[in-house]
Amino acid sequence: MPRLQADAEPTRWVAVTDSLGFKGRRHRKAAIGMLLAQATGAAGAPARPGSGFTAWAMSQAVPFLMRRANGRVLVWVWKADPELLVVMAQVQQATSQVRAARATMPMEYDDTETFRGTYLGNGEKLVVPLPSDGRTPPFATYTWDLGSHFVSVTAVCSDRERFGTVIGPLDELARGIRVVDDLTVGESANVLRLDP
């Protein structure tokens, strides 16, 4: 299975993917708390007092789940304000079910523009600063169809007012995403053939 790599600017981003224990703990907890609050708000439910403990518990489990993903999922938070922005990149096999799910997305997902990645070529970019339902937080997605796999980068922001200020750094992070894979070469073969 292919894995993802990216060179995120360390002055802007904190990687949640490889953080274990105390390393990155505050950033993990803040990011998970923000996502839980956004999900609760989108569902129309009031915030619960125990959600802080839930964020803490999930922040302890997330690094182990990420490690099991073995490079198929990468997550970052905005260093200056971890509760402002969470970014997740993932690679998934392009099965017929995934293609069908992408084809049946709501109409607002058709409003994409071409986005060129440094390593992945042309893909699609969708920015939704004001979702139509009024409860969903602003978000941006970047998607590349590699034939056998999809690579997607999704960013969720907690502040509609500040969302426009992070689009430039998001573009830069998304451009640096690349796919790597381990290749096994037989001892007798002297030619390695790669699909275009």
Side-chain angles (χ1 to χ4, degrees), residues 80-97:
D81 186 358
E83 294 182 355
L84 174 67
L85 185 66
V86 179
V87 182
M88 182 175 75
Q90 65 178 344
V91 59
Q92 64 184 116
Q93 195 169 6
T95 62
S96 56
Q97 292 87 354

Side-chain angles (χ1 to χ4, degrees), residues 14-15 24 26 38 41 51 55 67 79 86 91 93 101 107 115 123 136 154-155 157 174-175 178 194-195:
V14 174
R26 180 176 65 88
Q38 296 296 334
S51 62
R67 190 162 282 190
K79 187 171 188 173
V86 179
V91 59
Q93 195 169 6
M107 183 90 76
F115 181 80
T136 306
T154 305
C157 184
R175 275 193 191 93
R178 58 191 176 276
L194 297 176
D195 291 335

Side-chain angles (χ1 to χ4, degrees), residues 3-94:
R3 299 185 315 273
L4 295 175
Q5 279 188 354
D7 298 322
E9 177 62 45
T11 59
R12 286 184 174 155
W13 304 102
V14 174
V16 174
T17 311
D18 294 325
S19 64
L20 271 174
F22 290 114
K23 181 183 174 192
R25 176 180 62 169
R26 180 176 65 88
H27 291 90
R28 283 196 314 267
K29 184 180 173 192
I32 291 168
M34 185 272 276
L35 292 174
L36 287 173
Q38 296 296 334
T40 304
R48 294 189 307 259
S51 62
F53 175 76
T54 304
W56 174 84
M58 289 180 69
S59 74
Q60 302 306 306
V62 161
F64 296 102
L65 296 173
M66 295 279 184
R67 190 162 282 190
R68 285 189 66 194
N70 194 25
R72 295 187 306 270
V73 177
L74 301 176
V75 178
W76 300 271
V77 294
W78 191 247
K79 187 171 188 173
D81 186 358
E83 294 182 355
L84 174 67
L85 185 66
V86 179
V87 182
M88 182 175 75
Q90 65 178 344
V91 59
Q92 64 184 116
Q93 195 169 6

